[in-house]
Amino acid sequence: MQIVMTTGTRYSFVVSLAVTLSAVCGSATAQDFPPDVTRGKAVYERHCLACHGRGGWGDGPDAAALTVPPANFHRFKSFLKSDEELLRAIEHGIVFSPMHSWQGQLTETEMQDVLAYIRLLVQQSR
């Protein structure tokens, strides 16, 4: 048996194959591997500690000077937020608060790493 492919069927085959491989294998993004808590700790200490504090209680050295207090990650309200909500806050900031956008300053991987560290920080003190 011989299979004859015209240009149109070759294109359709390639597109079908690409869609199938994408569905089976997925695409390589930062979400395809687990976040690195050690790197997250370094990002947190460099960018978050001044406001949120060493333990994530919202009591960092710069917190007292802020008119809107930084998030206390141990509060039930913060604890209930999904990873997606927290990542959105990190990436885009929070309106009418000193929490500014980290988009363009942190990579997607760094944001996921710092989120993993924040989650660990809260678990360790419970």
Side-chain angles (χ1 to χ4, degrees):
M1 179 176 171
Q2 182 180 6
I3 298 175
V4 178
M5 289 187 144
T6 64
T7 303
T9 51
R10 247 182 278 154
Y11 175 77
S12 295
F13 175 75
V14 169
V15 169
S16 295
L17 181 62
V19 168
T20 302
L21 286 174
S22 176
V24 172
C25 301
S27 59
T29 66
Q31 297 173 1
D32 289 339
F33 54 89
D36 185 320
V37 178
T38 304
R39 283 192 318 237
K41 180 179 181 182
V43 171
Y44 183 88
E45 289 176 347
R46 189 169 52 250
H47 300 292
C48 312
L49 187 140
C51 294
H52 295 285
R54 185 156 303 281
W57 295 98
D59 60 352
D62 294 350
L66 301 174
T67 55
V68 177
N72 172 350
F73 301 124
H74 299 274
R75 289 186 59 213
F76 199 61
K77 181 180 173 181
S78 292
F79 186 74
L80 286 179
K81 289 187 178 180
S82 69
D83 287 356
E84 184 178 308
E85 288 174 297
L86 292 174
L87 281 170
R88 191 172 43 240
I90 295 167
E91 183 176 2
H92 300 291
I94 299 176
V95 178
F96 304 120
S97 85
M99 177 64 185
H100 62 83
S101 167
W102 289 97
Q103 185 176 28
Q105 297 174 52
L106 297 177
T107 66
E108 181 180 337
T109 301
E110 287 173 319
M111 288 187 247
Q112 290 180 5
D113 292 344
V114 78
L115 173 61
Y117 177 71
I118 290 167
R119 293 290 193 198
L120 179 67
L121 195 63
V122 172
Q123 286 177 358
Q124 288 177 342
S125 67
R126 287 197 176 265

